[in-house]
Amino acid sequence: MIIDTHSHLYLPAFDEDRSDMLERARDVGVGQVLLPAIDSDYHEALINLWQSDTAFFKPMMGVHPCSVQPNNYEDELRLAKELLDQHPFVAVGEIGIDLHWDKSTLPLQMEAFEMQIGWAKGRNLPIVIHCREAFKEIFDVLDRLHDEHLRGVFHCFTGTAEDAAKIKEYGTFLMGLGGVLTFKNSGLDKVVSELSLRHFVLETDAPYLAPTPHRGRRNESAYVQLVLKKLAEIKKLPEALVAERTSENARAMFQIN
């Protein structure tokens, strides 16, 4: 069984063919999909999809850093926290810092990130970190707040060997590998080749970041198999073993059956 640990399958991009898309995922061995939150525009869709098959889907709740805006971030945080109190989410995510689109909101993003880390600690939940052009800022927060109660996943890891080494030092974080691993000139294969499988989980981030040969088109959960194939190739290991180990990592991190 393969676990897609990060996929936004509740988004409108799948409204026309969601059933067929899910069948394709199951056909290639995807046994569970974790659904990260974005903001209140999509909470209802996320929860409805999760409740349509609570064994196959596992939901997260949090406020995406790109949704942390001066005019609404307090309301977004309040709504996310209310839902965390109502449903059995498996993680607080996706949360973090994104400096690609808007650096002006960095103070608010850091405030929201730290607050949501507190929620995770209080609920014994992992966090799922969105980190775009912000490793330094993310590490600054984690250096202050990390302890034995804080664990999680660096979603869509695309960092350097130094970034990976820093993540390993914390001892309670994994790295999520997605479509970027298959990109010809990403350099991520070189970083991954030096690390043990115990540090990784697999993901798609569908509908975004489709792996080669689908790059530039809509991503979907079935394509996690292409990430698996690439990781097995890099590590020179059987695909079945890579699927088993990364799924074990996911089950342990998110405490799912």
Side-chain angles (χ1 to χ4, degrees):
M1 183 179 76
I2 310 169
I3 299 178
D4 180 357
T5 62
H6 197 108
S7 197
H8 303 274
L9 300 187
Y10 53 85
L11 288 179
F14 300 103
D15 284 353
E16 297 298 320
D17 67 339
R18 186 171 285 108
S19 294
D20 291 340
M21 179 271 299
L22 290 172
E23 191 64 30
R24 289 192 291 272
R26 291 184 170 98
D27 285 346
V28 300
V30 176
Q32 285 181 317
V33 177
L34 276 61
L35 304 173
I38 299 173
D39 59 33
S40 61
D41 287 345
Y42 304 105
H43 289 343
E44 183 177 3
L46 185 159
I47 290 171
N48 286 343
L49 183 59
W50 159 54
Q51 292 183 336
S52 72
D53 189 339
T54 57
F56 186 77
F57 297 112
K58 300 298 177 184
M60 310 178 201
M61 182 48 57
V63 181
H64 191 289
C66 291
S67 298
V68 176
Q69 299 296 323
N71 63 329
N72 70 346
Y73 83 102
E74 292 178 332
D75 287 338
E76 287 292 344
L77 289 167
R78 177 180 54 80
L79 291 168
K81 187 173 184 294
E82 288 176 357
L83 285 170
L84 273 170
D85 291 335
Q86 296 169 18
H87 299 287
F89 294 101
V90 299
V92 176
E94 65 186 278
I95 64 176
I97 299 175
D98 188 311
L99 298 181
H100 178 76
W101 299 109
D102 188 354
K103 294 180 174 62
S104 71
T105 60
L106 176 59
L108 298 182
Q109 290 188 50
M110 292 186 70
E111 178 183 336
F113 185 36
E114 293 184 21
M115 181 179 295
Q116 293 177 95
I117 287 173
W119 298 350
K121 285 184 177 183
R123 292 167 171 77
N124 190 31
L125 292 175
I127 60 173
V128 171
I129 299 174
H130 175 106
C131 176
R132 190 168 186 187
E133 299 176 17
F135 274 106
K136 178 186 180 301
E137 291 76 9
I138 293 284
F139 290 151
D140 285 347
V141 172
L142 295 184
D143 285 347
R144 287 188 285 106
L145 299 182
H146 185 259
D147 57 27
E148 68 274 14
H149 303 294
L150 182 60
R151 69 187 195 277
V153 174
F154 276 75
H155 147 62
C156 191
F157 176 76
T158 55
T160 64
E162 291 75 21
D163 296 326
K166 176 72 171 176
I167 292 168
K168 284 174 59 180
E169 283 179 15
Y170 291 121
T172 57
F173 285 94
L174 301 175
M175 288 165 265
L177 299 178
V180 175
L181 184 66
T182 71
F183 296 174
K184 185 176 180 180
N185 297 314
S186 72
L188 189 56
D189 54 340
K190 297 180 180 62
V191 177
V192 166
S193 68
E194 301 299 320
L195 299 170
S196 165
L197 284 180
R198 69 177 180 272
H199 299 295
F200 301 122
V201 291
L202 303 179
E203 60 171 68
T204 59
D205 200 22
Y208 313 110
L209 292 174
T212 303
H214 305 287
R215 188 176 181 180
R217 288 172 280 180
R218 187 193 74 173
N219 201 0
E220 58 181 75
S221 274
Y223 297 164
V224 74
Q225 185 188 41
L226 298 171
V227 182
L228 168 66
K229 286 179 180 292
K230 184 63 176 180
L231 181 56
E233 174 189 317
I234 292 168
K235 303 302 293 181
K236 297 181 173 58
L237 293 169
E239 290 177 24
L241 178 62
V242 174
E244 179 184 354
R245 295 284 174 79
T246 55
S247 294
E248 285 174 356
N249 296 343
R251 285 191 289 269
M253 174 60 69
F254 294 101
Q255 298 182 354
I256 54 179
N257 296 324

